[in-house]
Amino acid sequence: MQNPRLDFVTCASPAGLHRMAYWEWGDADNDKVLLCVHGLTRTGRDFDTLARRLSGEYRVVCPDVVGRGASDWLLNPAFYTVPQYVGDMVTLIARLRPATLHWIGTSMGGLIGMILAGSAALSARARAVGQAGGGPLEGAGLRLDKIVLNDVGPRLAPDALARIGQYVGQGQEFGSFDDAVAYLRQVSAAFGHHTDEQWRELAAHVFLRRGDRWVKHYDLGLAAPFAVQDEASLAAGEQLLWHSYEAIDCPILVLRGQHSDLLRQDTAREMARRNPRARVVEVPDVGHAPTLMDDSQIQPVAAFLRGVD
């Protein structure tokens, strides 16, 4: 079975330097890059199934966002925020030097991509306006060629955020890997039907054996930013996300789990209305969020990336 290569890139936060791990599939010289970014408490290994399918066509790169998996933990957990993650991804992209760049972002990974893609588009427009003649400035800056937002949008349902915030900082330990898998099946029931082997795969990279115990493979400090959220900060964040989302100037595929409590149906419809480049596909019998492990979920993503209707 094909396995990924593990590498690291050094990034900076206001508290110092940290290494971000990334898992790379396919030809290292392929300049067609597919960057896959995971959800809040997950890792880049979530995309193993999809990466194996697409690595013959793309250089598939799946980072462990800082504080998760094989990446370092931040010295100050207050910086576990989307702006920090965006900065880290810019550093990674500079290392990869893609000719074309596609993005798949699940939940938090979609938020990072939304800000990155929107900011890149706005920056490109500003550079174009600043030129004599106002034409596009070819070859300057960063752009995404296509983006997949997996069960996330600019408006996040408050009850879903509260649900997520309740378990992020909980440091459960388990006496066996089977117990850890059972816990994951319970808290991630919204992922929908998976085989026993798939549940074990989903658990394998988010639990770490420490002595005779199995513990969560992420910094429990990820919960720190949740503690300072209030209605005003959430409203300001939503306004910023809509601004970035509307600025995205590449094709957008919005995947929505049919029973998602984070990306509501009315928000998905609004996303289609507010950016004409967006197309919404609903994934049946799944909540938050589709894991992209089943062929029925991979197929629309692969077709979108290849430009096939």
Coordinates of all heavy atoms in Angstrom, one line a residue, residues 108-156:
M108 N -12.4 23.5 9.8 CA -11.3 24.5 10.1 C -10.4 24.7 8.8 O -10.1 25.9 8.5 CB -10.5 24.2 11.3 CG -9.3 25.1 11.6 SD -8.2 24.5 12.8 CE -7.3 23.2 11.8
G109 N -10.1 23.6 8.2 CA -9.3 23.7 7.0 C -9.9 24.6 5.9 O -9.3 25.2 5.1
G110 N -11.3 24.5 5.8 CA -12.0 25.4 4.9 C -12.0 26.8 5.3 O -11.9 27.7 4.4
L111 N -12.0 27.1 6.6 CA -11.9 28.5 7.0 C -10.6 29.1 6.6 O -10.5 30.2 6.2 CB -12.1 28.6 8.5 CG -13.5 28.2 9.1 CD1 -13.5 28.3 10.6 CD2 -14.6 29.0 8.5
I112 N -9.5 28.3 6.8 CA -8.2 28.8 6.5 C -8.1 29.0 5.0 O -7.6 30.1 4.6 CB -7.1 27.7 6.9 CG1 -7.1 27.4 8.4 CG2 -5.7 28.1 6.4 CD1 -6.3 26.2 8.8
G113 N -8.6 28.1 4.2 CA -8.6 28.3 2.7 C -9.4 29.5 2.3 O -9.0 30.2 1.4
M114 N -10.5 29.7 3.0 CA -11.4 30.8 2.6 C -10.7 32.2 2.8 O -10.7 33.1 1.9 CB -12.7 30.8 3.5 CG -13.9 31.4 2.9 SD -15.3 31.3 4.0 CE -15.3 29.6 4.5
I115 N -10.0 32.3 4.0 CA -9.3 33.6 4.2 C -8.1 33.7 3.3 O -7.9 34.8 2.7 CB -8.8 33.6 5.7 CG1 -10.0 33.6 6.7 CG2 -7.8 34.7 5.9 CD1 -10.7 35.0 6.7
L116 N -7.4 32.6 3.0 CA -6.2 32.7 2.2 C -6.6 33.0 0.7 O -6.0 33.9 0.1 CB -5.5 31.3 2.2 CG -4.2 31.2 1.4 CD1 -3.2 32.2 2.0 CD2 -3.7 29.8 1.5
A117 N -7.7 32.3 0.2 CA -8.1 32.6 -1.2 C -8.6 34.0 -1.3 O -8.4 34.6 -2.3 CB -9.1 31.5 -1.6
G118 N -9.5 34.4 -0.4 CA -10.0 35.7 -0.5 C -9.0 36.8 -0.4 O -9.0 37.8 -1.1
S119 N -8.0 36.6 0.5 CA -7.0 37.6 0.7 C -6.1 37.7 -0.5 O -5.7 38.8 -1.0 CB -6.1 37.3 1.9 OG -6.9 37.3 3.1
A120 N -5.8 36.5 -1.1 CA -4.9 36.5 -2.3 C -5.6 37.2 -3.5 O -5.0 38.0 -4.2 CB -4.6 35.1 -2.7
A121 N -7.0 37.0 -3.6 CA -7.7 37.7 -4.7 C -7.8 39.2 -4.5 O -7.6 39.9 -5.4 CB -9.1 37.1 -4.7
L122 N -8.0 39.6 -3.2 CA -8.0 41.0 -3.0 C -6.7 41.7 -3.2 O -6.6 42.8 -3.7 CB -8.5 41.3 -1.5 CG -10.0 41.0 -1.2 CD1 -10.2 41.0 0.3 CD2 -10.9 42.0 -1.9
S123 N -5.6 41.0 -2.8 CA -4.3 41.5 -3.0 C -3.9 41.7 -4.5 O -3.3 42.6 -4.9 CB -3.2 40.6 -2.3 OG -3.4 40.6 -0.9
A124 N -4.4 40.7 -5.3 CA -4.1 40.7 -6.7 C -4.8 41.9 -7.3 O -4.3 42.6 -8.2 CB -4.5 39.4 -7.4
R125 N -6.1 42.1 -6.9 CA -6.8 43.3 -7.4 C -6.2 44.6 -7.1 O -6.1 45.5 -7.9 CB -8.2 43.2 -6.9 CG -9.1 42.1 -7.4 CD -10.4 42.0 -6.8 NE -11.0 40.7 -6.9 CZ -12.1 40.3 -6.4 NH1 -12.8 41.1 -5.5 NH2 -12.6 39.1 -6.6
A126 N -5.6 44.7 -5.8 CA -5.0 45.9 -5.4 C -3.7 46.1 -6.2 O -3.4 47.3 -6.6 CB -4.7 45.8 -3.9
R127 N -3.0 45.1 -6.5 CA -1.8 45.3 -7.3 C -2.1 45.7 -8.7 O -1.4 46.5 -9.3 CB -1.0 43.9 -7.4 CG -0.3 43.6 -6.1 CD 0.8 42.5 -6.3 NE 0.1 41.3 -6.8 CZ -0.4 40.3 -6.1 NH1 -0.4 40.4 -4.8 NH2 -0.9 39.3 -6.7
A128 N -3.2 45.1 -9.3 CA -3.6 45.4 -10.6 C -4.0 46.9 -10.7 O -3.7 47.6 -11.7 CB -4.8 44.5 -11.1
V129 N -4.7 47.4 -9.7 CA -5.2 48.8 -9.7 C -3.9 49.7 -9.7 O -3.9 50.8 -10.2 CB -6.1 49.0 -8.6 CG1 -6.4 50.5 -8.4 CG2 -7.4 48.3 -8.8
G130 N -2.9 49.3 -8.9 CA -1.7 50.1 -8.8 C -0.8 50.2 -10.0 O 0.1 51.0 -10.0
Q131 N -1.0 49.3 -11.0 CA -0.2 49.3 -12.2 C -0.6 50.4 -13.1 O -1.8 50.8 -13.2 CB -0.3 48.0 -12.9 CG 0.3 46.8 -12.2 CD 0.2 45.6 -13.2 OE1 1.1 45.4 -13.9 NE2 -0.9 45.0 -13.1
A132 N 0.3 50.8 -13.9 CA 0.0 51.7 -15.0 C -0.9 50.9 -16.0 O -0.6 49.8 -16.4 CB 1.2 52.2 -15.7
G133 N -2.0 51.4 -16.4 CA -2.9 50.7 -17.3 C -3.9 49.8 -16.6 O -4.9 49.4 -17.1
G134 N -3.7 49.5 -15.3 CA -4.6 48.7 -14.5 C -4.8 47.3 -14.9 O -5.8 46.7 -14.5
G135 N -3.9 46.7 -15.7 CA -4.1 45.3 -16.1 C -3.6 44.4 -15.0 O -3.0 44.8 -14.0
P136 N -3.9 43.1 -15.2 CA -3.5 42.1 -14.2 C -2.0 42.0 -14.2 O -1.3 42.1 -15.2 CB -4.1 40.8 -14.7 CG -4.3 41.0 -16.2 CD -4.6 42.5 -16.4
L137 N -1.5 41.7 -13.0 CA 0.0 41.5 -12.8 C 0.3 40.1 -12.8 O 0.1 39.4 -11.8 CB 0.4 42.2 -11.5 CG 1.9 42.2 -11.2 CD1 2.6 43.0 -12.3 CD2 2.1 42.9 -9.8
E138 N 0.7 39.5 -13.9 CA 0.9 38.1 -14.1 C 2.1 37.6 -13.2 O 3.1 38.3 -13.2 CB 1.1 37.7 -15.5 CG -0.1 38.0 -16.4 CD -1.3 37.1 -16.1 OE1 -1.1 36.1 -15.5 OE2 -2.4 37.6 -16.3
G139 N 1.9 36.5 -12.6 CA 3.0 35.8 -12.0 C 3.3 36.4 -10.6 O 4.3 36.0 -10.0
A140 N 2.6 37.3 -10.1 CA 2.9 38.0 -8.8 C 1.9 37.4 -7.7 O 0.8 37.1 -8.0 CB 2.7 39.5 -8.9
G141 N 2.5 37.2 -6.5 CA 1.6 36.8 -5.4 C 1.2 35.3 -5.5 O 1.8 34.5 -6.1
L142 N 0.1 35.1 -4.8 CA -0.3 33.7 -4.6 C -1.8 33.6 -5.0 O -2.6 34.6 -4.8 CB -0.2 33.3 -3.1 CG -0.7 32.0 -2.6 CD1 0.1 31.6 -1.4 CD2 -2.2 32.0 -2.3
R143 N -2.2 32.5 -5.7 CA -3.6 32.4 -6.0 C -4.0 30.9 -5.9 O -3.1 30.0 -6.0 CB -3.9 32.9 -7.4 CG -3.3 32.2 -8.5 CD -4.0 32.5 -9.8 NE -5.3 31.8 -9.9 CZ -6.5 32.4 -9.9 NH1 -6.6 33.7 -9.8 NH2 -7.6 31.7 -10.0
L144 N -5.2 30.6 -5.6 CA -5.7 29.3 -5.6 C -6.5 29.1 -6.9 O -7.2 30.0 -7.4 CB -6.7 29.0 -4.4 CG -6.0 28.4 -3.2 CD1 -5.0 29.4 -2.6 CD2 -7.1 28.1 -2.1
D145 N -6.3 27.9 -7.5 CA -7.0 27.7 -8.8 C -8.4 27.1 -8.6 O -9.3 27.4 -9.4 CB -6.1 26.7 -9.7 CG -4.8 27.4 -10.1 OD1 -4.8 28.2 -11.1 OD2 -3.8 27.2 -9.4
K146 N -8.5 26.3 -7.6 CA -9.8 25.7 -7.2 C -9.8 25.5 -5.7 O -8.8 25.1 -5.1 CB -10.2 24.4 -8.0 CG -10.4 24.6 -9.5 CD -10.8 23.4 -10.2 CE -11.0 23.6 -11.6 NZ -11.3 22.4 -12.4
I147 N -11.0 25.6 -5.1 CA -11.1 25.4 -3.7 C -12.4 24.6 -3.3 O -13.4 24.8 -3.9 CB -11.1 26.7 -2.9 CG1 -11.1 26.4 -1.4 CG2 -12.2 27.6 -3.3 CD1 -10.8 27.7 -0.5
V148 N -12.2 23.6 -2.5 CA -13.3 22.8 -1.9 C -13.5 23.1 -0.5 O -12.5 23.0 0.3 CB -13.0 21.3 -2.1 CG1 -14.2 20.4 -1.5 CG2 -12.8 20.9 -3.6
L149 N -14.7 23.6 -0.1 CA -15.0 23.9 1.3 C -15.9 22.8 1.8 O -17.0 22.7 1.4 CB -15.7 25.2 1.4 CG -15.0 26.4 0.8 CD1 -15.8 27.7 0.9 CD2 -13.6 26.6 1.5
N150 N -15.3 21.9 2.6 CA -16.0 20.7 3.1 C -16.8 21.0 4.4 O -16.2 21.0 5.5 CB -15.0 19.6 3.3 CG -15.7 18.3 3.7 OD1 -16.9 18.1 3.5 ND2 -14.9 17.3 4.2
D151 N -18.1 21.2 4.3 CA -19.0 21.4 5.4 C -18.6 22.6 6.3 O -18.6 22.5 7.5 CB -19.1 20.2 6.2 CG -20.5 20.1 6.9 OD1 -21.5 20.0 6.1 OD2 -20.6 20.1 8.1
V152 N -18.3 23.7 5.6 CA -18.0 25.0 6.4 C -18.3 26.2 5.5 O -18.3 26.1 4.2 CB -16.5 25.0 6.8 CG1 -15.6 25.2 5.6 CG2 -16.3 26.0 7.9
G153 N -18.7 27.3 6.1 CA -19.0 28.5 5.4 C -18.7 29.7 6.3 O -18.2 29.5 7.4
P154 N -19.0 30.9 5.8 CA -18.7 32.1 6.6 C -19.6 32.2 7.9 O -19.1 32.8 8.8 CB -19.0 33.2 5.6 CG -18.9 32.6 4.3 CD -19.4 31.2 4.4
R155 N -20.8 31.6 7.8 CA -21.6 31.6 9.0 C -21.6 30.3 9.7 O -22.0 29.3 9.0 CB -23.0 32.0 8.6 CG -24.0 32.1 9.8 CD -25.4 32.5 9.5 NE -25.4 33.8 8.8 CZ -25.8 34.1 7.6 NH1 -26.3 33.1 6.9 NH2 -25.8 35.3 7.1
L156 N -21.2 30.2 10.9 CA -21.0 29.0 11.7 C -22.1 28.9 12.7 O -22.3 29.9 13.5 CB -19.7 28.8 12.3 CG -18.5 29.0 11.3 CD1 -17.2 29.0 12.1 CD2 -18.5 27.9 10.3

